[in-house]
Amino acid sequence: MVKISVVVPVYNTASTLPRCLDSVLGQTFTDFEIIIVNDGSTDESHAVIASYAATHPEIVVVTQENQGLGAARNAGIRAARGTYIACVDSDDLIDSTMLEKMLRAVEAHEADVAICQADNVLYSDGERIKSLGIYTIPGKAETINGKEALTLQINYIVPILFNSVCFKLVRKSLFFDHGVWFPEQFRYAEDTPTSVGIFLYADTVALVRETLYDYVRENESLTSSYSLKKAHDIYLDVVDICSYIQKVDPSISVDNFVLGMLFSMEKQIIWSETKDKEFKDYLMMIGANLRTIHTPQLHSLNIPFIQKLKILCAYHGYTPMVCKMISLFKWIPFVRYML
């Protein structure tokens, strides 16, 4: 038994995996294991994994056919022996004190989850270019309850930081006791519904106001292109999240969340290079239906201005016009990755 299991899914990231593993192996905290899930890589990732596993007994290797990031994370969690789960993407890095500080926070507050801040970093050809901005935690509280964390997430008060599982340390029992797993079938943004499930069942969430994770953006990264499949995956996330919330606490409003996701969905449709008119029309019809069901709830919530604009644009059907304006500035890294 170990305190923390760090799950690292790998798919064709031989060039970035060493920097990721070095950052995890360099932790000040030592009672952890690394679960590397080789998700059917076809590059030299297997050789990198074998080299590290041969010299580091704390590394456990799980090998499977390519099933996508969600399935790889699920496999890693099922193989984990730790009390807590941390997820690190194989192209990212973590601060040398991350595990120590996150564990200290959950133990000090008897929390189910800890969340830290993250630096959104632009890399090119393996070299750090610059920071695109730090994802910060608002307020001064050291802890909040799960419902409060969920409110921050689904109302876009702290969107990416609370959506991603990578910035969290999570008690493993939350996954097994409540059936909170990652969507599979190569789902895009698969950790958003999982984070909702985590918050719904967490009693206490510890907030670590230190920047302990480098979230790396690369020119060819999974999250920087646009497609009709990703648009449909976003819709599936909406369905999963609404189902989670309806099951646990139907009183929670999902209006802002659905409209914000609709903006992201329509952005994928508009900027997609896929020439499937029937599928595109189907997705646009879904968006039109969502608009008729959900109304913005912007009063008494400290929603950032840009998120309010996204919600209102989606509700009023202005997303195509806004995307056309944004496309004029897509050459700017901040615009490309942050909007």
Side-chain angles (χ1 to χ4, degrees):
M1 181 69 70
V2 293
K3 274 288 186 181
I4 299 174
S5 295
V6 182
V7 177
V8 182
V10 175
Y11 179 70
N12 291 352
T13 52
S15 63
T16 62
L17 184 57
R19 76 185 184 205
C20 170
L21 293 179
D22 288 343
S23 74
V24 180
L25 290 166
Q27 293 295 295
T28 55
F29 179 78
T30 57
D31 188 14
F32 69 91
E33 64 177 355
I34 304 174
I35 310 292
I36 301 177
V37 183
N38 185 0
D39 188 38
S41 296
T42 58
D43 67 351
E44 292 302 309
S45 294
H46 65 282
V48 175
I49 293 169
S51 174
Y52 274 83
T55 55
H56 297 282
E58 61 267 61
I59 291 179
V60 176
V61 180
V62 176
T63 302
Q64 62 183 32
E65 294 183 1
N66 182 228
Q67 299 175 49
L69 184 55
R73 283 175 170 162
N74 289 339
I77 293 168
R78 291 189 178 103
R81 297 180 298 124
T83 305
Y84 298 94
I85 300 292
C87 291
V88 180
D89 285 347
S90 58
D91 54 351
D92 294 341
L93 303 90
I94 62 174
D95 185 87
S96 63
T97 63
M98 180 176 176
L99 297 186
E100 177 185 351
K101 290 176 178 176
M102 297 285 269
L103 181 64
R104 184 189 305 154
V106 294
E107 291 186 337
H109 301 288
E110 298 183 347
D112 299 302
V113 183
I115 301 176
C116 69
Q117 299 181 157
D119 195 357
N120 195 35
V121 183
L122 182 63
Y123 268 67
S124 181
D125 296 325
E127 296 294 327
R128 180 186 174 115
I129 303 301
K130 62 180 177 180
S131 170
L132 297 172
I134 294 175
Y135 298 130
T136 59
I137 301 171
K140 297 181 179 180
E142 293 184 357
T143 64
I144 53 179
N145 62 43
K147 187 172 181 179
E148 289 170 330
L150 181 62
T151 297
L152 293 174
Q153 180 190 7
I154 66 174
N155 288 288
Y156 303 99
I157 299 169
V158 193
I160 295 177
L161 195 63
F162 278 34
N163 282 345
S164 175
V165 73
C166 290
F167 316 141
K168 299 179 177 72
L169 184 68
V170 183
R171 191 181 301 276
K172 185 175 70 174
S173 59
L174 283 183
F175 295 99
F176 289 91
D177 292 352
H178 304 288
V180 178
W181 298 101
F182 292 90
E184 300 189 1
Q185 293 80 46
F186 299 91
R187 177 85 66 87
Y188 169 68
E190 82 298 325
D191 48 357
T192 300
T194 307
S195 290
V196 167
I198 288 169
F199 290 145
L200 279 169
Y201 292 108
D203 290 326
T204 303
V205 177
L207 305 177
V208 180
R209 300 177 189 282
E210 295 187 57
T211 305
L212 303 176
Y213 194 102
D214 273 7
Y215 181 47
V216 176
R217 305 278 195 166
E218 303 247 18
N219 288 336
E220 301 300 325
S221 72
L222 181 69
T223 54
S224 62
S225 58
Y226 302 90
S227 69
L228 297 182
K229 181 195 179 300
K230 287 183 180 179
H232 188 247
D233 284 352
I234 291 170
Y235 170 65
L236 294 178
D237 281 352
V238 169
V239 173
D240 284 352
I241 288 167
C242 290
S243 177
Y244 261 135
I245 292 173
Q246 182 65 28
K247 176 183 176 182
V248 178
D249 189 348
S251 68
I252 297 174
S253 172
V254 296
D255 288 330
N256 290 339
F257 165 74
V258 172
L259 291 170
M261 292 288 274
L262 176 57
F263 180 90
S264 297
M265 176 180 166
E266 290 181 327
K267 184 173 70 171
Q268 290 287 340
I269 296 170
I270 293 163
W271 287 346
S272 169
E273 296 180 359
T274 311
K275 307 299 182 184
D276 187 338
K277 185 177 184 303
E278 184 177 350
F279 192 27
K280 181 177 180 180
D281 290 345
Y282 165 71
L283 292 171
M284 293 301 285
M285 181 186 69
I286 289 175
N289 289 338
L290 292 175
R291 251 188 294 277
T292 65
I293 299 170
H294 299 279
T295 304
Q297 307 294 325
L298 303 179
H299 303 295
S300 73
L301 287 170
N302 190 27
I303 301 174
F305 177 71
I306 195 166
Q307 302 299 336
K308 286 183 180 179
L309 282 181
K310 291 180 181 180
I311 291 167
L312 291 171
C313 284
Y315 177 67
H316 291 292
Y318 296 156
T319 307
M321 179 183 68
V322 172
C323 284
K324 186 175 182 180
M325 294 172 61
I326 293 174
S327 65
L328 298 174
F329 301 95
K330 280 173 67 177
W331 57 274
I332 302 174
F334 176 85
V335 173
R336 181 179 181 185
Y337 296 111
M338 302 291 277
L339 299 181

